[in-house]
């Protein structure tokens, strides 16, 4: 067995910086130890495996194994675990590539290069999303090693299955190439009729919660003060970095839908480590818990993090998922009345009165005004300052953000209010830096303070809102009088004043007296007497009609054969009628004309008959020798046509007497 050779030192000319950076993406330590055993946890990312045709795996092995714990640490009694994401994706389609797989020989060689203490101190090998080739590879290595480490290997189907082994998934630094296949698999399972796996049913923290601005819990802060949620704090901090804010088409170029959906689930589930990276700009928040450090996030490349367009799409999604939008439906009538004129130019003092927290009357709720002052207007103002690079003016940003600020039940009504809300947001962004920010004491420094990581550990994550929580009675009561109370709901007023006391609900009105019982239903009426029978109702009194007259609908006129007869017992006697003679049907067309075969047969018979008839040269010869018709019995007087389908074809032919030939003397 060959000993493990460390890679050359960085000062050596044989040291390869690209291989070192690639190894840091393949194997890196997790920021927090394993929650089940408190051992050091290392993450092995299959999405970072290079193409075997471009990179030599033999040269890559020493750089990868050098990132494992040193022998000095292992001799001190420390153990470690490896979490292998075998189904991670390196492309945008979310499918692992077959070209990014190490060979069988490379895996066996890597196992042989491990020292005995590295094999012994490995407490657990988690393999998530193992495919058939991974299982065969692991089983082959176990056979070569004698099967000693078979009990340390655990195969899991998804990342969430780690929670069944006591590992908190929220404390893992999972690359984005792992969550995309997980999301697609759950969508496919939901489309096929199965139950969707995930943590959506456990609650939510960021999107669509009852309190969009959570309260601070620090003792040094004044009670009731609110802060920005974590999703806005991290996404905005990354978006306002120098290289990110200058990205062309920011907030206009749509992000990948699957990336935004994955980010929404991660923030709702409380995933602690989410990597943001755009070219050379990397965002990470260290020191989540006391006694822990951070991992070298700057070693991860662009594909291992979420880009700037995903951050912009996530911010727009947060505004779209607000339980009460910035411009609710209750203010549509006031919007059309006061700001419906397309030629209206809003002055700075009008916008100030609209956003003032102590305004007597305004179309916006208290929570909406606070969100605009704390986050949206300062963010869009900073983006407009970089218009020279990103080509996004105030009106363009208003066009991109307005659909996320309107969400009523009627889409047509929302489209009518879209132009008015766009003009209002455009005016707010244009006047923010010079006129609005000094009034509200919201400069760049105060905005950056809101975006910093809170010093209190409890404020670094948003509170969890259970999915089964019901709406409070005060909120349900205020939902019906939104048009009257334009300053917001009861919860908004409590946040503004800093008090948590709720007003008692008014007593319900007394229940009205019960209604008197219904009157009893009247008794049923007696049955009607039987109808007297007439002679037409009896079988004897019915007139006997001929067979063909029964189907006729014409009423017969009664008549008597004997005028002297008198009625018996007041009832006329039955009328006897003479049956009508049967009418012979007319011959059909086929009987007169016949088919081609019948006519041919008839002509042949006629020709055979005419052969026996003599011909004369003159009339005198015919007169002198009269024809004896009775001499030839085979000469028919009348011959019937061939048989046809008509019932009249069965009748016998009608004999006719031949016409005698008149002579000249008799004429």
């Amino acid at each position: 067995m060959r000993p493990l050779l460390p890679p050359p030192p960085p000062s050596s000319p044989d040291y390869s910086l690209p291989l070192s950076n690639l190894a840091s993406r393949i194997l890196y330590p997790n920021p927090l130890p394993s929650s089940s055993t408190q051992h050091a946890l290392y993450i092995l990312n299959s999405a970072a495996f290079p193409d075997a045709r471009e990179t030599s795996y033999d040269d890559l092995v020493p750089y990868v194994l050098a990132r494992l714990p040193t022998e000095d640490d292992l001799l001190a009694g420390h153990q470690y675990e490896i979490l292998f994401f075998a189904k991670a994706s390196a492309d945008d389609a979310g499918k692992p590539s077959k070209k990014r797989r190490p060979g069988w020989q490379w895996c066996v060689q890597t196992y042989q290069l491990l020292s005995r203490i590295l094999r012994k101190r490995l407490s657990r090998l988690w393999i998530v999303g193992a495919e058939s080739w991974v299982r065969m590879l692991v089983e082959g290595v176990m056979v070569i090693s004698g099967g000693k480490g078979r009990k340390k290997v655990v195969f899991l189907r998804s990342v969430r299955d780690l929670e069944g082994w006591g590992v908190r998934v929220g404390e893992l630094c999972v690359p984005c190439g792992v969550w995309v296949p997980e999301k697609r698999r759950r969508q496919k399972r939901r489309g096929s009729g199965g139950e969707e796996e995930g943590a959506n049913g456990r609650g939510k923290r960021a999107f669509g919660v009852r309190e969009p601005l959570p309260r601070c819990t620090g003792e040094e802060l004044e009670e009731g003060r609110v802060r920005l949620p974590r999703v806005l704090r991290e996404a905005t901090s990354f978006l306002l970095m120098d290289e990110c804010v200058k990205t062309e088409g920011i907030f206009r170029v749509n992000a990948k839908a699957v990336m935004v959906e994955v980010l929404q689930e991660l923030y709702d589930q409380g995933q602690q480590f989410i990597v943001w990276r755009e070219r050379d700009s990397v965002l990470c928040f260290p020191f989540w818990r006391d006694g822990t450090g951070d991992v070298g996030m700057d070693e991860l490349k662009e594909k291992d993090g979420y880009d700037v367009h995903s951050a912009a799409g996530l911010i727009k999604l947060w505004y779209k998922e607000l339980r009460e939008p910035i411009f609710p439906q209750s203010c549509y009538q006031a919007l059309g009345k006061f700001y419906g004129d397309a030629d209206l130019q809003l002055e700075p003092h009008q916008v100030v009165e609209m956003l003032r927290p102590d305004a007597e009357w305004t179309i916006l709720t208290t929570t909406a005004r606070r969100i605009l002052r704390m986050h949206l207007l300062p963010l869009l103002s900073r983006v407009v300052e970089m218009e020279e690079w990103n080509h996004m003016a105030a009106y363009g940003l208003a066009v991109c953000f307005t659909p996320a600020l309107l969400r009523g039940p009627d889409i047509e009504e929302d489209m009518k209010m879209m132009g008015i809300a766009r003009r209002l947001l455009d005016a707010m962004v244009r006047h923010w830096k010079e006129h609005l920010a000094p009034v509200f004491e919201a400069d760049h420094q105060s905005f950056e303070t809101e975006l910093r990581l809170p010093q209190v550990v409890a404020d670094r994550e948003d509170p969890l809102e259970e999915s089964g929580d019901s709406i409070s009675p005060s909120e349900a009561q205020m939902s019906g009088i939104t048009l009257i109370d334009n300053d917001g709901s009861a919860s908004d007023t409590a946040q503004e004043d800093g008090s948590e006391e709720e007003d008692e609900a008014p007593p319900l009105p007394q229940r009205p007296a019960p209604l008197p019982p219904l009157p009893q239903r009247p008794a049923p009426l007696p049955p009607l007497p039987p109808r007297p029978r007439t002679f037409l109702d009896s079988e004897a009194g019915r007139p006997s009609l001929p067979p063909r007259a029964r189907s006729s609908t014409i009423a017969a006129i009664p008549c008597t054969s004997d005028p002297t007869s008198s009625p018996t017992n007041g009832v006329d006697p039955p009328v006897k009628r003479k049956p009508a003679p049967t009418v012979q049907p007319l011959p059909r067309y086929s009987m007169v004309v016949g088919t081609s075969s019948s006519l041919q047969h008839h002509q042949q018979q006629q020709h055979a008959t005419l052969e026996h008839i003599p011909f004369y040269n003159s009339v005198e010869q015919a007169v002198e020798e009269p024809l004896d018709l009775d001499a030839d019995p085979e000469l028919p007087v009348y011959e019937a046509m061939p048989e046809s389908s008509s019932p009249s074809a069965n009748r016998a032919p009608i004999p006719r007497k031949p016409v005698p030939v008149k002579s000249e003397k008799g004429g």
Side-chain angles (χ1 to χ4, degrees):
M1 181 181 298
R2 292 178 299 175
L4 177 61
L5 299 177
S11 59
S12 175
D14 297 335
Y15 184 80
S16 177
L17 184 60
L19 292 179
S20 177
N21 295 335
L22 183 58
S24 63
R25 295 179 54 217
I26 295 176
L27 185 65
Y28 58 90
N30 192 62
L32 299 178
S34 177
S35 56
S36 59
T37 58
Q38 298 299 321
H39 295 162
L41 182 62
Y42 289 83
I43 295 177
L44 182 61
N45 182 19
S46 64
F49 285 167
D51 193 347
R53 298 171 300 181
E54 300 176 357
T55 305
S56 175
Y57 276 83
D58 296 337
D59 299 336
L60 184 62
V61 170
Y63 293 91
V64 175
L65 298 183
R67 302 186 62 83
L68 291 175
T70 60
E71 293 187 2
D72 297 337
D73 297 336
L74 298 177
L75 290 174
H78 299 289
Q79 295 183 352
Y80 69 101
E81 300 177 3
I82 295 179
L83 177 59
F84 179 32
F85 293 110
K87 207 173 182 179
S89 171
D91 54 358
D92 298 335
K95 300 180 181 179
S97 177
K98 295 182 179 180
K99 301 178 182 179
R100 299 177 178 271
R101 293 179 181 177
W104 170 270
Q105 298 179 357
W106 183 85
C107 296
V108 175
Q109 179 184 5
T110 304
Y111 181 79
Q112 293 177 353
L113 289 177
L114 293 176
S115 60
R116 182 178 179 275
I117 192 171
L118 281 174
R119 303 177 191 175
K120 188 176 182 60
R121 292 299 180 181
L122 177 63
S123 61
R124 187 75 66 182
L125 175 60
W126 312 92
I127 302 179
V128 179
E131 297 182 349
S132 58
W133 70 274
V134 177
R135 293 179 179 270
M136 294 175 59
L137 192 62
V138 173
E139 291 295 334
V141 173
M142 292 295 104
V143 170
I144 295 176
S145 62
K148 298 180 180 179
R150 192 183 301 273
K151 297 181 180 180
K152 299 180 180 180
V153 182
V154 178
F155 292 97
L156 301 174
R157 185 177 58 177
S158 63
V159 183
R160 297 297 171 187
D161 294 342
L162 288 169
E163 298 180 355
W165 293 81
V167 179
R168 288 190 286 268
V169 181
E171 298 180 356
L172 301 177
C173 184
V174 183
C176 62
V178 176
W179 295 116
V180 173
E182 288 274 329
K183 179 66 177 179
R184 295 187 184 277
R185 185 179 62 84
R186 291 199 304 269
Q187 291 177 350
K188 185 178 181 180
R189 182 179 179 86
R190 180 178 55 183
S192 60
E195 297 181 0
E196 182 181 5
E197 301 175 1
N200 292 339
R202 305 176 185 176
K204 48 190 176 181
R205 301 175 183 268
F207 294 86
V209 295
R210 185 173 296 107
E211 294 185 0
L213 299 177
R215 301 176 183 272
C216 297
T217 58
E219 298 179 357
E220 69 279 359
L221 302 176
E222 65 178 79
E223 186 179 359
R225 185 177 179 272
V226 296
R227 58 176 175 84
L228 291 178
R230 178 196 167 200
V231 56
L232 292 185
R233 185 178 68 244
E234 295 186 2
T236 306
S237 300
F238 173 68
L239 191 141
L240 292 181
M241 299 180 75
D242 294 338
E243 294 186 2
C244 298
V245 75
K246 296 180 180 179
T247 304
E248 183 177 356
I250 190 172
F251 287 113
R252 177 174 54 84
V253 178
N254 294 329
K256 297 176 183 178
V258 63
M259 290 292 185
V260 178
E261 293 175 0
V262 166
L263 286 170
Q264 179 184 4
E265 291 185 2
L266 294 181
Y267 278 104
D268 274 338
Q269 297 166 7
Q271 195 71 23
Q272 295 185 6
F273 301 99
I274 298 178
V275 181
W276 297 94
R277 187 180 185 96
E278 182 70 24
R279 295 185 293 273
D280 296 334
S281 300
V282 182
L283 178 66
C284 62
F285 288 92
F287 307 109
W288 269 93
R289 204 166 55 193
D290 295 339
T292 60
D294 61 320
V295 66
M297 297 291 185
D298 53 344
E299 298 177 352
L300 302 179
K301 284 194 174 181
E302 187 173 344
K303 289 185 179 180
D304 297 326
Y306 302 94
D307 58 351
V308 62
H309 296 297
S310 300
L314 191 66
I315 293 175
K316 290 192 295 184
L317 181 63
W318 186 86
Y319 280 94
K320 184 179 179 180
E321 294 292 330
L322 284 175
R323 179 170 295 188
E324 186 178 9
I326 300 298
F327 295 99
Q329 188 187 12
S330 57
C331 71
Y332 285 179
Q333 185 177 2
L335 280 175
K337 181 178 180 181
F338 298 104
Y339 309 101
D341 189 4
D343 299 332
L344 179 63
Q345 299 292 334
L346 291 177
E347 300 296 333
H349 67 276
Q350 295 177 337
V351 182
V352 169
E353 291 297 329
M354 188 184 304
L355 299 176
R356 190 182 295 276
D358 55 351
E360 296 181 358
W361 182 89
T362 179
I363 61 174
L364 302 176
T365 61
T366 304
T367 305
R369 285 176 285 171
R370 182 177 294 156
I371 294 175
L372 289 174
R373 296 192 309 265
M374 290 182 61
H375 179 260
L376 184 58
L377 297 182
L379 170 62
L380 298 183
S381 177
R382 292 284 297 274
V383 175
V384 172
E385 293 178 3
M386 301 297 175
E387 183 182 358
E388 183 180 356
W389 293 272
N390 55 35
H391 304 287
M392 294 299 296
Y395 183 78
L397 293 173
V399 171
C400 298
F401 254 95
T402 304
L405 307 181
L406 296 170
R407 193 184 71 256
D410 190 357
I411 300 179
E412 296 182 359
E413 191 175 4
D414 293 345
M415 295 299 295
K416 294 178 182 179
M417 297 292 111
M418 197 78 70
I420 303 175
R422 187 186 304 119
R423 292 195 299 270
L424 289 177
L425 185 59
D426 180 24
M428 293 178 185
V429 175
R430 286 188 289 104
H431 299 310
W432 173 258
K433 184 177 181 181
E434 297 182 0
H435 302 90
L436 304 182
V439 174
F440 301 117
E441 298 180 356
D443 53 356
H444 288 342
Q445 185 176 0
S446 62
F447 184 51
E448 292 178 357
T449 303
E450 294 289 343
L451 298 178
R452 291 176 184 173
L453 184 68
Q455 297 296 330
V456 182
V457 179
D459 290 342
R460 296 177 182 178
E461 186 57 85
D462 301 331
L464 177 64
E465 181 179 303
E466 298 293 340
S467 58
D469 291 349
S470 58
I471 303 177
S472 60
S474 60
E475 185 175 348
Q477 180 184 0
M478 297 297 294
S479 62
I481 54 175
T482 309
L483 292 175
I484 299 177
D485 188 6
N486 292 316
D487 288 341
S489 59
S491 60
D492 298 336
T493 307
Q495 291 184 4
E496 184 73 21
D497 299 336
S499 60
E500 299 181 357
E501 298 181 359
E502 296 184 358
D503 298 336
E504 297 182 359
L508 298 176
Q510 296 182 359
R511 184 174 297 178
L515 298 176
L518 297 176
Q520 297 182 358
R521 184 175 297 177
L525 298 176
L528 297 175
R531 184 170 58 88
R533 298 174 58 87
T534 61
F535 94 100
L536 294 176
D537 296 334
S538 61
E539 295 293 337
R542 293 183 180 177
S544 60
L545 298 178
R548 293 183 60 85
R550 286 185 181 273
S551 61
S552 177
T553 57
I554 303 176
I557 302 176
C559 62
T560 58
S561 59
D562 189 5
T564 60
S565 61
S566 59
T568 304
N569 297 330
V571 180
D572 296 338
V575 180
K576 297 182 179 181
R577 302 188 181 191
K578 183 179 180 179
T582 58
V583 180
Q584 300 295 337
L586 298 177
R588 294 192 178 183
Y589 180 76
S590 61
M591 298 174 57
V592 179
V593 179
T595 60
S596 60
S597 60
S598 62
L599 290 177
Q600 185 177 3
H601 178 69
H602 179 68
Q603 290 177 1
Q604 292 176 0
Q605 291 182 356
Q606 186 176 8
H607 180 70
T609 306
L610 293 178
E611 291 180 355
H612 302 281
I613 300 176
F615 293 89
Y616 303 96
N617 297 328
S618 63
V619 179
E620 292 79 3
Q621 185 180 359
V623 174
E624 292 177 358
E625 298 180 6
L627 179 63
D628 189 3
L629 299 177
D630 297 333
D632 192 357
E634 296 180 0
L635 181 61
V637 178
Y638 174 80
E639 183 177 2
M641 299 295 291
E643 295 183 0
S644 62
S645 59
S646 175
S648 61
N650 299 326
R651 295 195 300 269
I654 301 175
R656 295 187 181 181
K657 187 177 181 180
V659 180
V661 180
K662 294 183 180 181
S663 61
E664 294 181 359
K665 296 179 181 182

